[in-house]
Amino acid sequence: MLNDKELENIRRKMLELDEEPPVKAWAAIQAEIKPRHRWRFFWWLSSALLILSAISVYFFWDKLPIHTAAPSASAHVPSLAQTPKPIEKQDHSTHSTQKDQPALSISEPEHLLPSAETKPNAEGIKPDLEKAASPINRISKNNLLSQPNIKAPITKGITLKEDSILLIEANTGKIASMPGNPDKKTKPEFQPKHKEKLENNSLPGHNLMQGKSTKPDIEIANTEVTTKKQQTNSDKTGPSSFSENTLSIKPPSQEKLNTPADLEQDRSAEFTNTDPTTSPLVETPVGIPAPDTASVVLEPDTASQAKETIIVTPPGSKGSKEWTVGLFFSPRYSFRIVTPSSSDDIYIENLTTRPKSGSERMGYELGISVSKAITNRLYLESSLAFMQLKENVAYSYTTGKVDTLLRKGSSDGQQIQLTAVYASGNRQLVSSYAYGGWRLGATYYFWQNHRRRFNITMNGGINLLVKGQTTEVINGQESKTINFPSKENILEQTNYNLLIGAGYSLQVMEKYELMFMPTLNYFLGSTFKAREPFGLQPYSLGIHVQVKRRLK
Amino acid sequence: MYSEQEIVAGCKQGKALFQEKLYQLYSRRMMAVCIRYTKSRFEAEDIFQEAFVKVFKHIHSYSGGSFEGWMRRIFVNTAINQYHKSRKYQEQVDYSTIEESSPSEEDIVSDISGKELLLLIDQLPEGYKLVFNLYEVEGYTHREISEMLGIAEGTSKSQLAKAKSYLKKILLTYSMKEKC
């Protein structure tokens, strides 16, 4: 029996004992403890969709008509005095009936000038505005300046403060600018009233656009809406005011203006400066009908100057919504990534890679595709394909069984060293897989002319194994052949893949196009899933040759 | 250079760098544990990998004390589980014929290296080796051993006594060969 001292010695020596850990054990452990991405395919798909969405949004945005462009405070906006002349020309040519109208005038707000008269307190203005009988319509200067019937003060630039108010006087048709918005509470009060009133009087006319998308749109049908004496007199609720910063205007329809009623209404649209002390402004004729394709956006900048931008809406240029169908063929050369699989009793000593130039790894893919133009440059496409991939992998392995014990004695014959030699074997797997695949993706032509174009393509899809075969060769002798998929699980070896490529297309006939595109096809799953002690994640390089035909 | 506490904290956060540091720190010692409880290096390597994965996956449950002791328990438990799976214990050869002897005064262990000692202990029958390692090296009680191995407490005691006696004989034989 061992005594306590011996046992303590044994214990100490056993606890201090070190042993060399298995080679590459850390890699295997690391692979197991690494967080697994269960939704890896969805992650890839989501990423691809996100990129496609971003590209789509970018190009849709690029193609959108500019008349909805929102003004920005930092953008440079030319002053009203720099109104382009074409607008004036259209004024005379398209709206001759307005010649009879008294011209509206815009006066320089005196509060902008450093004189005593121009500094009346705000309280002094408001009561005047609130006189119900007063035919004064109070409009934000920006809205008013952009009305089509208001001739832009070309000869004299007007600078208005952001909060200043323009007065349109019904009797004389003059516009006065007043110190703006002493009482901020009026802003929310008047907006809904005006909107309702303007909607009730809506005629084919002008769009009043908002500087900020969060504010409600206000639409003015005609300038008569706010200049009719009867209407302003009957409106006992007080003067109208616009608090919006911008106004875009469509011209009134010709037919409407030519009717007697309209002419009568136009004649009645006269404004008088009833109180020169409150609006002692310089009179300037106004009344510019905007062209059909023009919108006027006015915006005050931070320097307290009213400026305008005239943006001509480009003619609609939506991409042709053409369809294309195509046939493609792609020779594919497979590579693979070896991944650890579930633990078993087999110890792989060496994984042999076959020669990279071997024909065993050449496969091909052929199929049909259909695509639809989303824009001139962006195509959404889908394809059905048949793909054949090949694998050839060999490895030496052992199950841990001792085959031979090598006995080695020391020179003096007193020591014997026994070395175990494990039984090992060689295994080779020659596989061929035929997949049916469906892909969905997009092609973007980043450069194109009438004959040739260059594209980038990104597709994601699913592959279903149609037929597979693996021939097992053990120690140089063919052992057995395994056929896939098994009857028990026809979805065996289902895989997902991601394809990216960049190519060149050439128009060969009027409706045909030939495309050459090097592609990389990356499989997201392993092809050797549960049957082998390791997994193979193939990826293949190929040249996509495709003939496309355009369908209108 | 990181302290053990920093490494463990890093592993709890799932940082790969600290996981590798922990592996480098304890892999050799834990491999020795695995070898003590198995017959072949292959088996030991399997247990080693499985136990290390367990360590990383359950490191959040480590709440304090000796980290090495906590790790060692995981490795020992994994080895015992593996032992149960292989059902070797049931096929245990009865070595009850081995006679127990009284303790001798001669210290024959001090002259033997750890590696040699490991090889000699490895010559013990599987059941003896398990009980001997669990009781004498790891410090488990007979009750714990009986629960772990699913045997009676008395069986554990008798196996230990026989293991000691058997090991003494092996040591004496080895010692005599050394002297010769």
Side-chain angles (χ1 to χ4, degrees):
Chain A
M1 184 75 92
L2 292 166
N3 59 34
D4 290 342
K5 189 182 175 186
E6 287 169 333
L7 288 172
E8 183 55 37
N9 269 336
I10 290 172
R11 176 181 160 81
R12 184 176 51 79
K13 286 180 180 178
M14 286 294 101
L15 290 176
E16 287 173 356
L17 200 63
D18 279 353
E19 279 290 330
E20 195 63 35
V23 182
K24 295 182 181 176
W26 172 238
I29 292 167
Q30 200 178 25
E32 285 202 46
I33 62 173
K34 202 161 57 175
R36 297 190 177 192
H37 302 289
R38 290 182 182 275
W39 301 102
R40 202 174 172 187
F41 168 70
F42 296 103
W43 187 88
W44 280 106
L45 191 65
S46 304
S47 302
L49 289 175
L50 192 66
I51 292 167
L52 288 175
S53 304
I55 293 170
S56 304
V57 166
Y58 174 77
F59 286 101
F60 278 127
W61 184 262
D62 206 28
K63 299 288 179 189
L64 275 178
I66 309 174
H67 69 269
T68 57
S72 69
S74 60
H76 171 71
V77 183
S79 70
L80 190 60
Q82 296 168 355
T83 306
K85 289 183 179 178
I87 292 178
E88 275 191 286
K89 286 177 184 174
Q90 288 196 9
D91 173 31
H92 299 300
S93 61
T94 59
H95 297 282
S96 58
T97 56
Q98 293 178 3
K99 287 177 182 174
D100 296 332
Q101 295 179 18
L104 296 174
S105 62
I106 299 175
S107 302
E108 185 79 19
E110 285 196 6
H111 73 278
L112 295 175
L113 302 171
S115 68
E117 287 181 10
T118 59
K119 296 176 183 175
N121 54 13
E123 291 78 13
I125 295 169
K126 194 174 179 182
D128 290 335
L129 294 175
E130 289 178 351
K131 287 175 185 174
S134 174
I136 296 175
N137 295 308
R138 191 173 66 169
I139 303 175
S140 167
K141 57 160 187 182
N142 296 322
N143 296 336
L144 185 62
L145 288 175
S146 57
Q147 288 195 14
N149 289 343
I150 299 171
K151 183 173 280 185
I154 297 164
T155 54
K156 183 175 182 179
I158 297 174
T159 55
L160 300 175
K161 282 194 173 177
E162 186 176 356
D163 294 324
S164 64
I165 301 162
L166 290 179
L167 302 177
I168 301 175
E169 296 175 8
N171 293 335
T172 62
K174 292 176 181 177
I175 297 174
S177 175
M178 304 184 68
N181 202 8
D183 186 5
K184 293 279 183 185
K185 292 174 185 174
T186 59
K187 228 177 184 178
E189 272 180 31
F190 288 121
Q191 276 184 354
K193 289 177 184 174
H194 246 286
K195 186 172 183 181
E196 183 182 337
K197 180 181 175 183
L198 293 170
E199 282 172 354
N200 291 336
N201 290 290
S202 62
L203 291 170
H206 314 295
N207 290 327
L208 184 63
M209 291 170 51
Q210 306 258 2
K212 294 176 182 177
S213 60
T214 54
K215 293 182 179 178
D217 289 336
I218 298 172
E219 189 167 313
I220 298 177
N222 198 337
T223 51
E224 70 190 33
V225 170
T226 54
T227 57
K228 279 179 68 177
K229 189 178 287 182
Q230 292 84 353
Q231 286 179 352
T232 52
N233 287 337
S234 63
D235 188 2
K236 302 294 184 186
T237 57
S240 305
S241 72
F242 289 92
S243 60
E244 317 314 310
N245 289 330
T246 62
L247 174 65
S248 72
I249 302 154
K250 291 177 185 174
S253 65
Q254 191 66 37
E255 299 81 20
K256 194 74 181 175
L257 286 171
N258 287 336
T259 60
D262 290 329
L263 292 172
E264 183 62 28
Q265 285 176 352
D266 290 336
R267 283 191 196 97
S268 68
E270 294 179 0
F271 300 91
T272 305
N273 188 357
T274 54
D275 189 0
T277 59
T278 55
S279 57
L281 306 170
V282 178
E283 295 179 5
T284 306
V286 293
I288 301 174
D292 284 340
T293 58
S295 62
V296 180
V297 180
L298 294 179
E299 177 196 344
D301 62 10
T302 53
S304 301
Q305 288 194 345
K307 297 177 179 179
E308 73 169 52
T309 299
I310 296 178
I311 303 166
V312 178
T313 305
S317 59
K318 287 185 177 178
S320 58
K321 304 296 182 187
E322 68 174 14
W323 288 80
T324 61
V325 291
L327 283 172
F328 62 87
F329 175 79
S330 176
R332 300 214 152 272
Y333 190 77
S334 300
F335 299 88
R336 67 241 162 166
I337 301 165
V338 180
T339 55
S341 188
S342 56
S343 59
D344 48 37
D345 295 333
I346 293 177
Y347 177 74
I348 296 175
E349 294 174 324
N350 184 27
L351 190 70
T352 310
T353 54
R354 308 301 296 174
K356 287 186 178 176
S357 59
S359 61
E360 300 103 330
R361 290 164 65 178
M362 277 301 294
Y364 64 88
E365 181 180 10
L366 58 91
I368 56 169
S369 71
V370 60
S371 61
K372 184 182 188 300
I374 305 298
T375 68
N376 281 338
R377 289 172 179 268
L378 185 67
Y379 284 68
L380 186 68
E381 65 182 16
S382 180
S383 63
L384 285 172
F386 173 83
M387 178 167 53
Q388 190 177 54
L389 286 181
K390 291 182 176 179
E391 292 286 355
N392 191 338
V393 63
Y395 59 88
S396 58
Y397 68 99
T398 176
T399 56
K401 288 182 181 175
V402 177
D403 182 58
T404 312
L405 277 174
L406 295 177
R407 181 174 175 173
K408 186 180 177 184
S410 60
S411 57
D412 55 1
Q414 291 182 353
Q415 286 189 345
I416 297 169
Q417 185 180 359
L418 292 176
T419 307
V421 178
Y422 298 108
S424 65
N426 293 312
R427 190 160 181 250
Q428 186 182 357
L429 299 167
V430 183
S431 305
S432 170
Y433 299 101
Y435 285 103
W438 172 74
R439 284 202 196 100
L440 182 67
T443 292
Y444 172 64
Y445 293 92
F446 57 90
W447 185 90
Q448 58 185 356
N449 63 16
H450 64 287
R451 284 219 56 188
R452 53 183 65 87
R453 49 186 181 173
F454 293 89
N455 69 286
I456 51 171
T457 292
M458 183 180 282
N459 283 335
I462 184 169
N463 287 336
L464 186 67
L465 186 72
V466 179
K467 183 173 171 53
Q469 183 176 293
T470 296
T471 303
E472 186 185 47
V473 179
I474 293 181
N475 297 328
Q477 290 190 336
E478 189 171 320
S479 169
K480 60 181 176 182
T481 301
I482 307 164
N483 289 308
F484 305 103
S486 62
K487 289 178 181 176
E488 292 78 22
N489 182 14
I490 58 168
L491 295 178
E492 189 179 21
Q493 302 281 356
T494 301
N495 210 335
Y496 303 99
N497 69 81
L498 191 68
L499 181 141
I500 54 172
Y504 166 74
S505 299
L506 181 69
Q507 187 176 348
V508 289
M509 280 182 277
E510 188 184 352
K511 290 185 175 179
Y512 289 90
E513 194 177 66
L514 190 59
M515 175 192 269
F516 300 93
M517 181 170 66
T519 57
L520 172 66
N521 194 7
Y522 182 75
F523 283 76
L524 305 178
S526 168
T527 53
F528 273 2
K529 283 180 182 170
R531 290 178 184 269
E532 298 299 326
F534 54 86
L536 287 181
Q537 244 178 310
Y539 60 98
S540 64
L541 288 176
I543 295 186
H544 200 76
V545 182
Q546 185 169 17
V547 179
K548 284 184 177 177
R549 187 184 192 282
R550 291 196 187 91
L551 303 172
K552 286 293 180 183
Chain B
M1 195 67 185
Y2 297 99
S3 68
E4 186 185 271
Q5 285 180 341
E6 286 172 327
I7 291 170
V8 172
C11 289
K12 283 184 175 180
Q13 292 169 7
K15 293 181 179 174
L17 172 73
F18 291 101
Q19 288 172 338
E20 192 170 359
K21 293 274 179 201
L22 187 78
Y23 175 83
Q24 288 167 353
L25 190 62
Y26 289 112
S27 60
R28 296 176 67 86
R29 265 176 274 179
M30 293 305 133
M31 187 63 198
V33 173
C34 295
I35 284 178
R36 276 212 317 272
Y37 286 91
T38 53
K39 270 288 181 190
S40 71
R41 187 174 171 88
F42 275 134
E43 214 178 329
E45 286 179 359
D46 281 349
I47 292 166
F48 174 82
Q49 187 170 325
E50 188 184 338
F52 244 118
V53 171
K54 278 185 189 173
V55 166
F56 286 121
K57 285 188 176 173
H58 298 95
I59 199 163
H60 294 279
S61 64
Y62 168 69
S63 53
S66 166
F67 184 76
E68 188 180 345
W70 180 81
M71 259 184 100
R72 191 181 288 272
R73 276 201 300 279
I74 288 178
F75 275 78
V76 169
N77 286 335
T78 307
I80 299 297
N81 289 341
Q82 188 69 24
Y83 175 79
H84 283 304
K85 281 182 195 170
S86 60
R87 298 175 181 274
K88 286 173 184 171
Y89 192 74
Q90 282 77 5
E91 296 163 11
Q92 171 69 38
V93 181
D94 185 14
Y95 287 91
S96 55
T97 53
I98 294 168
E99 293 177 5
E100 294 185 22
S101 57
S102 56
S104 64
E105 295 300 318
E106 190 182 7
D107 183 6
I108 53 175
V109 176
S110 55
D111 298 331
I112 301 174
S113 70
K115 294 260 183 190
E116 290 169 318
L117 204 53
L118 181 67
L119 286 171
L120 294 172
I121 292 172
D122 202 44
Q123 291 178 24
L124 286 173
E126 191 73 15
Y128 292 0
K129 189 172 81 173
L130 266 178
V131 174
F132 181 81
N133 274 322
L134 288 171
Y135 188 89
E136 295 295 344
V137 182
E138 310 297 344
Y140 287 98
T141 63
H142 283 297
R143 173 170 288 181
E144 288 169 329
I145 293 168
S146 66
E147 286 171 1
M148 288 166 79
L149 298 179
I151 56 174
E153 205 174 322
T155 309
S156 173
K157 287 177 184 172
S158 66
Q159 295 255 354
L160 178 67
K162 288 170 186 173
K164 284 180 184 174
S165 179
Y166 196 72
L167 184 60
K168 180 76 176 181
K169 282 188 177 179
I170 294 171
L171 286 170
L172 283 172
T173 309
Y174 186 80
S175 170
M176 285 170 66
K177 281 182 182 175
E178 285 283 299
K179 285 175 183 173
C180 295

